[in-house]
Structure formats: C-alpha cells, structure tokens
Amino acid sequence: MILHKGKHTTTSYQVNLLQDGGKLIDVPEMREFAISGTEGLDEVFEDIAELFAKCRFRDCIHTVEPGCAVREAVTNGILDEKRLRNYSKMKKESCGS
C-alpha cells in the first residue's frame, strides 16, 4: 500500500497493489471519475468486440436490429447482459455523451 498526500490541498489518496498486477486507487475526496478515451476498451471486452463484427449491419446499435449477433448471444446465454450494459456504459462515458 502506498499513501500519498497532496502538496497544496487537503486531499490524499491510497494506491493498493492487487495480486494480479492491477492497482486500486482510493481517493476519498473525489466524487466523480470519468473515462478518458476508449483506449483498451475493446481489449477488455474482446468478446463483445468480436460479436459486433458478426452483426448483419455495420451501423447496428445492438438493440432491435435483425441479425444482431450481440442480442443473439445475450438471448442464447453466451453473453451476460450485465457485461454488455457495463461495456455500453463505459463506451458512452468515454465518448463524453
């Protein structure tokens, strides 16, 4: 665990190193975070990105379009709908919408 204190503010943050090599940053004073860009998003959700490529239409928004590979995967239990919602939420936030 690494503890840092801001030089010109009263905020502090804590970096917790996770066993798998990730980092969890605890910033008690922060009220909101935003995603900056979509770099790495398709790598984290590689399964969903592969399904997008299989949709019948290039402009598929994965809701009601016929031939949507993403909706079909959700219906067939191949893709968890919660995972798709998380991807969609992160994508929307990263685009500043």
Side-chain angles (χ1 to χ4, degrees), residues 83-95:
R83 183 167 170 75
L84 177 60
R85 281 195 310 265
N86 288 339
Y87 172 86
S88 298
K89 182 179 177 182
M90 290 178 79
K91 184 81 167 180
K92 182 179 178 183
E93 288 175 1
S94 69
C95 293

Side-chain angles (χ1 to χ4, degrees), residues 7 10 18 21-22 24 35 40 45 49 54 58 70 73-74 85 90:
K7 292 180 181 180
T10 58
L18 304 176
L24 177 65
I35 296 172
F45 293 94
K54 295 177 182 177
R58 287 182 160 259
V70 176
V74 170
R85 281 195 310 265
M90 290 178 79

Side-chain angles (χ1 to χ4, degrees), residues 39-82:
E39 185 178 315
L41 194 59
D42 285 342
E43 286 81 13
V44 173
F45 293 94
E46 185 177 355
D47 54 337
I48 296 175
E50 288 176 6
L51 288 169
F52 288 164
K54 295 177 182 177
C55 287
R56 182 185 302 171
F57 303 107
R58 287 182 160 259
D59 61 347
C60 185
I61 58 172
H62 319 295
T63 55
V64 296
E65 296 83 4
C68 176
V70 176
R71 296 303 324 159
E72 184 177 318
V74 170
T75 300
N76 293 334
I78 297 168
L79 175 63
D80 182 24
E81 188 156 15
K82 185 176 180 181

Side-chain angles (χ1 to χ4, degrees), residues 3-49:
L3 182 63
H4 296 278
K5 292 190 179 199
K7 292 180 181 180
H8 304 290
T9 67
T10 58
T11 29
S12 65
Y13 66 94
Q14 197 171 352
V15 178
N16 298 294
L17 304 176
L18 304 176
Q19 290 179 354
D20 66 356
K23 296 176 183 173
L24 177 65
I25 303 172
D26 180 15
V27 186
E29 302 296 323
M30 290 298 267
R31 295 173 190 237
E32 183 176 323
F33 286 95
I35 296 172
S36 176
T38 59
E39 185 178 315
L41 194 59
D42 285 342
E43 286 81 13
V44 173
F45 293 94
E46 185 177 355
D47 54 337
I48 296 175

